[in-house]
Amino acid sequence: MEFIQAVLEQQPLMALFLTIAIGYVVGEVGIRGFSLGVGAVLFVALAMGWFAPKAAPAPMVGTLGLSLFLYTVGIQYGKQFFLGLTSAAGLKANLMALAGVLLSGAVSLLFVRTMGLDPGHALGLFAGAGTSTAALQPAVAKLGNDPTVGYSVSYPIGVAGPILFLYLAFILVKPKIEVRSGSGMEFIEIALRNPAFFGRRLGDLMATLPAQVRIVALRREHHNQPAPPDTVIAENDVLLAVGPTRSVLDQARKALGEAAPGRVAGDRRDLDYLRVFASRPAVAGRMLGDLHLPGEKASVVIHVRRGDADLEAWPDLVLEFGDRVGLLAHRGDFPALRKFFGDSIKGTAEFSYISIGLGMALGFLVGAIGIPLPGIGRIALGLSGVLTVALSLGNLRRSAGLNWTMPLSANLVLRNLGLTLFLAQVGMSSGPKFAATVADTGFLMLGMGAAVLVALVLPVLVLGLFVFRMPFDDVVGIVAGATGNPAILAYSNRLAPTDRPDIGYAMIFPAMTIVKVLFVDIVLSLL
């Protein structure tokens, strides 16, 4: 054992990546559908740090990892975050989450006053119960490794506790959740029979249909053609309509005429379907309405697939690297369209290193600026400055010729790498002290961590389900965003398989991450 210990301490990078590998193996072990996921890296790192204390990597490794994690989260969720700050539903959801976060922080500080808990351990309990690595960082920077002990004790409760609460809420409420079938994009061919629309412009017709329905093509005199809004339609035209669900398309069919399956899709001479990757820098970051599609004949974008979701091709939809664009076009124009969009699968992993370099540099600069708070003094955002800047850039999408976004696949890789590096570094640095503390007060701190977690989750559930009587799939997304761990969001999607949990998570998670970081910063300033 001494030989293995010596090898690990002489090769800290080997020890770091061995810790990551073992951590992910442990994280994949499931018990009744529950697993620690990436959180297991922290516990393996604590064991590694206890066994080989000198193998701990430099703190800069953890700082870099957490910075990457915060930046990629902000870039992805910037638009949803600002929408949540401006919409009535988003403000209500953020206030619910804020109540839970602040109450959990108050409970953690209460233990300092009533039970003599070390302030570092208390802040670690707060960060761990909220599974917020971002909130742990400023506490570690000012108090050393004490907060990591509380964090590692309460982190498993922060992951498993909300899942248990959501399961009990599901059993208690027994919600009826309408699950959307299909891939998220449906098509229907409609023969125009309603005299009220004969001789009218297509744009006027679409104004009378459900908001999600678009007419993308029509068939007239045995030929298919794109359908711009100024097209004048006539009796017996066959319209190709696109919508998110079959039900809204059925509403359009009843208003316009009768179904005519195969009339448009069965003839590929004039229009055929083409799917291309958006990998050319000139199209990424631009709105569909600003694109001038090449080719001798007219083409039309009918949908965009981003990640696992189909998005409707409205003119204000902004393309991102790696999007798969579905078009109706003449086959002779296929080569020109492929060249125009780039159509390279490499686009799913490419992004601008100029934009990420400038964005993170600006984030560090903002984080270093001291902000005066009355009665407290000056505090700096620290690494939450990176998150704040990333949220702004993610909402902006593109400026001054720079595309701030990145493909979802590349975003997830960088995010998970950053989080993994941070957990491994901070765990390996804290291993010896963690073992000693848990041996003395482990069960007591576990109980305290559970109390902090209850204070975080219970107010959100009570306010959402019983006070505001919000839909269950909205509430579980808010709970996932307030607590923050992706495992909780994954379980929320299992209970409520709609897109509402993802939307709620996106609106809540960035704001509550900043609140948790600021809470820790303010407490440290007061101390």
Side-chain angles (χ1 to χ4, degrees):
M1 296 298 288
E2 292 181 359
F3 172 76
I4 297 176
Q5 181 184 27
V7 171
L8 291 173
E9 292 183 339
Q10 291 172 10
Q11 299 291 332
L13 286 179
M14 181 192 75
L16 173 69
F17 285 99
L18 182 61
T19 298
I20 291 172
I22 298 174
Y24 269 89
V25 170
V26 175
E28 291 178 356
V29 177
I31 301 175
R32 294 186 179 274
F34 168 74
S35 61
L36 282 173
V38 68
V41 174
L42 176 64
F43 302 105
V44 173
L46 289 168
M48 182 69 76
W50 167 80
F51 178 71
K54 296 180 181 179
M60 181 68 74
V61 174
T63 302
L64 173 62
L66 186 57
S67 302
L68 286 173
F69 173 76
L70 294 175
Y71 185 82
T72 50
V73 166
I75 287 295
Q76 181 177 349
Y77 292 131
K79 188 173 182 179
Q80 294 92 330
F81 169 71
F82 284 100
L83 178 64
L85 292 181
T86 55
S87 67
L91 287 173
K92 182 190 295 184
N94 274 287
L95 287 174
M96 289 166 49
L98 179 63
V101 170
L102 293 181
L103 183 58
S104 68
V107 170
S108 66
L109 294 181
L110 184 64
F111 291 136
V112 176
R113 193 170 187 85
T114 60
M115 304 187 68
L117 184 67
D118 180 272
H121 291 170
L123 292 177
L125 288 177
F126 169 72
T131 64
S132 177
T133 52
L136 175 63
Q137 190 274 337
V140 171
K142 292 191 176 182
L143 300 177
N145 291 326
D146 282 353
T148 307
V149 175
Y151 181 90
S152 56
V153 168
S154 61
Y155 185 93
I157 300 171
V159 177
I163 291 175
L164 177 60
F165 270 104
L166 292 178
Y167 174 74
L168 294 175
F170 184 83
I171 297 299
L172 178 64
V173 177
K174 296 182 174 61
K176 295 181 180 179
I177 301 171
E178 182 180 351
V179 181
R180 178 186 297 179
S181 60
S183 63
M185 191 63 60
E186 301 282 347
F187 300 86
I188 190 173
E189 297 164 72
I190 306 170
L192 186 63
R193 298 285 190 263
N194 189 339
F197 298 110
F198 297 168
R200 297 182 61 181
R201 293 171 63 254
L202 186 61
D204 298 333
L205 177 148
M206 289 179 59
T208 67
L209 300 178
Q212 308 99 316
V213 175
R214 291 175 59 241
I215 307 298
V216 296
L218 65 84
R219 181 174 180 80
R220 178 181 295 168
E221 297 178 353
H222 308 294
H223 289 280
N224 299 332
Q225 63 186 64
D230 58 353
T231 302
V232 177
I233 54 178
E235 183 180 7
N236 296 325
D237 283 350
V238 179
L239 308 176
L240 179 62
V242 182
T245 63
R246 178 58 57 177
S247 61
V248 297
L249 292 180
D250 285 339
Q251 295 178 38
R253 175 186 55 78
K254 293 176 182 177
L256 300 179
E258 61 187 32
R263 296 283 298 279
V264 177
D267 184 358
R268 304 295 181 96
R269 294 173 301 167
D270 302 299
L271 290 178
D272 202 353
Y273 180 76
L274 172 68
R275 176 177 282 185
V276 293
F277 282 102
S279 60
R280 186 165 161 256
V283 299
R286 297 183 60 188
M287 293 189 295
L288 289 179
D290 295 336
L291 299 180
H292 300 287
L293 301 180
E296 297 181 1
K297 297 187 177 181
S299 306
V300 59
V301 178
I302 59 173
H303 73 118
V304 173
R305 189 163 181 84
R306 180 172 298 162
D308 296 329
D310 275 305
L311 308 176
E312 294 189 69
W314 297 106
D316 59 351
L317 177 65
V318 178
L319 280 182
E320 296 182 2
F321 278 114
D323 283 348
R324 288 157 288 174
V325 183
L327 305 104
L328 291 179
H330 190 273
R331 290 183 182 180
D333 294 329
F334 280 13
L337 289 167
R338 290 193 176 101
K339 183 178 180 181
F340 178 78
F341 284 98
D343 197 26
S344 171
I345 196 171
K346 294 180 180 178
T348 61
E350 291 181 348
F351 54 87
S352 170
Y353 284 96
I354 298 175
S355 66
I356 193 173
L358 291 175
M360 290 192 67
L362 182 59
F364 284 115
L365 178 62
V366 170
I369 298 174
I371 302 173
L373 292 180
I376 297 175
R378 300 178 69 87
I379 69 168
L381 291 177
L383 288 186
S384 60
V386 175
L387 177 61
T388 303
V389 169
L391 289 168
S392 301
L393 296 179
N395 183 57
L396 192 60
R397 318 295 280 178
R398 185 185 181 99
S399 63
L402 283 176
N403 181 30
W404 300 107
T405 63
M406 62 181 70
L408 180 60
S409 56
N411 187 297
L412 291 174
V413 169
L414 285 178
R415 187 191 313 175
N416 291 330
L417 174 63
L419 181 59
T420 301
L421 288 175
F422 174 75
L423 292 175
Q425 188 277 326
V426 76
M428 292 174 70
S429 300
S430 309
K433 193 164 188 177
F434 169 77
T437 303
V438 171
D440 293 336
T441 64
F443 289 106
L444 177 61
M445 290 186 68
L446 281 173
M448 293 179 183
V452 175
L453 184 277
V454 171
L456 171 60
V457 176
L458 196 58
V460 180
L461 285 175
V462 171
L463 288 172
L465 294 176
F466 303 109
V467 177
F468 298 125
R469 298 191 177 277
M470 299 170 66
F472 185 80
D473 48 352
D474 283 346
V475 175
V476 296
I478 297 170
V479 171
T483 51
N485 194 278
I488 302 167
L489 177 62
Y491 188 76
S492 300
N493 283 320
R494 240 182 277 173
L495 288 180
T498 69
D499 59 352
R500 301 303 303 172
D502 290 321
I503 294 173
Y505 182 87
M507 287 196 302
I508 302 301
F509 175 70
M512 292 308 105
T513 298
I514 293 175
V515 168
K516 292 171 187 176
V517 173
L518 289 178
F519 179 86
V520 172
D521 273 333
I522 292 172
V523 170
L524 290 171
S525 298
L526 292 174
L527 290 175

